[in-house]
Amino acid sequence: MLVLLPPSEGKAASGRGAPLKAESLSLPGLAQARAAVLDELVELCAADEDKAREVLGLSEGLRGEVAKNVELRTAGTRPAGEIYTGVLYDALDLASLDAAAKRRAAKSLLVFSGLWGAVHTGDRIPSYRCSMGVKLPGLGALGTYWRGVMDPVVTETAGTGLVLDLRSAAYAAAWKPKGAVASRTATVRVLHSAIVDGVEKRSVVSHFNKATKGRIVRDLLTAGAAPADPAELVETLRGLGYVVEAEPPVKPGRPWSLDVVVTQIH
């Protein structure tokens, strides 16, 4: 099983470990593309702070993020699973998993990134600021840029197993499964169900959507679950106590759509 995750906008501080060793990152097929994004991002942030802030979509209060990007090659690193924070990663809580679940996480979790393309949670990276929605002056829109190089690399990484796609729309644009891989892919939407004046109302609540996805991944890792396809994933999640409504694709070669329905927001 390969689980595709979005990064977090906010990130933990860079660690005290050795500086970035780009050649040690997983998915080496992305190395050349990563180097190009890294070079332009560092150059942009070092040359003109105001322009960099505009390109990166940062407010005045986040001016320090530009300086952080200037130091990307020399800053200390930490495992990506520690760098990414926020609601989904708080709920996932990788640090508290047992040893077996941590090994499963290191193998199966793939975090998409505007700067790195995609990394496993064990890859050591510095803290940075560069979302997939950024349009760099030279390389252009990063979602489009990565889409041009990501397909063979992620398709190979997915292998013949299930792909659980929990990415947000901006990061989903960087790689879209096709053909046989798409038929083994399941996307998840979290819906909050409430009774209002005797009628059920459903809505998407961003914060809870992220938290529930984090808990889903944690529960799958903890249980040692290894569903082979979307249909088995539905049954596995139901066995873990989730209310799941499944919508198989109407045509071959398309992903499954799963709705996880919850009644409590926490």
Side-chain angles (χ1 to χ4, degrees), residues 43-224:
E43 182 179 350
L44 169 69
C45 292
D48 189 331
E49 185 178 275
D50 289 331
K51 181 179 180 181
R53 202 159 52 79
E54 179 183 352
V55 170
L56 297 175
L58 301 177
S59 66
E60 175 67 31
L62 293 174
R63 185 176 289 271
E65 298 293 283
V66 176
K68 179 192 296 184
N69 283 347
V70 175
E71 306 297 328
L72 283 172
R73 293 192 181 90
T74 57
T77 58
R78 301 169 72 173
E82 296 178 13
I83 288 289
Y84 296 118
T85 58
V87 177
L88 188 155
Y89 291 91
D90 285 347
L92 174 54
D93 195 9
L94 286 168
S96 69
L97 292 173
D98 63 38
K102 285 180 178 177
R103 287 193 294 270
R104 288 189 283 270
K107 182 178 180 180
S108 64
L109 304 188
L110 191 65
V111 185
F112 275 61
S113 161
L115 173 54
W116 313 113
V119 291
H120 281 296
T121 53
D123 286 334
R124 298 190 68 91
I125 57 174
S127 186
Y128 67 96
R129 192 65 172 246
C130 184
S131 72
M132 192 65 79
V134 164
K135 184 176 182 180
L136 292 175
L139 296 176
L142 289 178
T144 302
Y145 173 79
W146 282 114
R147 189 161 59 245
V149 298
M150 197 78 80
D151 187 60
V153 176
V154 180
T155 298
E156 180 182 4
T157 303
T160 59
L162 169 71
V163 177
L164 175 54
D165 190 352
L166 302 179
R167 296 172 296 166
S168 55
Y171 291 90
W175 179 72
K176 295 184 178 182
K178 302 173 184 175
V181 178
S183 67
R184 299 193 306 272
T185 298
T187 62
V188 172
R189 180 175 62 165
V190 179
L191 297 176
H192 175 235
S193 173
I195 303 299
V196 180
D197 297 328
V199 179
E200 183 191 28
K201 302 288 186 180
R202 291 185 175 183
S203 60
V204 177
V205 182
S206 178
H207 181 283
F208 189 61
N209 173 56
K210 295 175 183 177
T212 301
K213 287 180 177 179
R215 283 192 282 271
I216 286 172
V217 176
R218 181 181 178 85
D219 288 345
L220 289 170
L221 293 171
T222 301

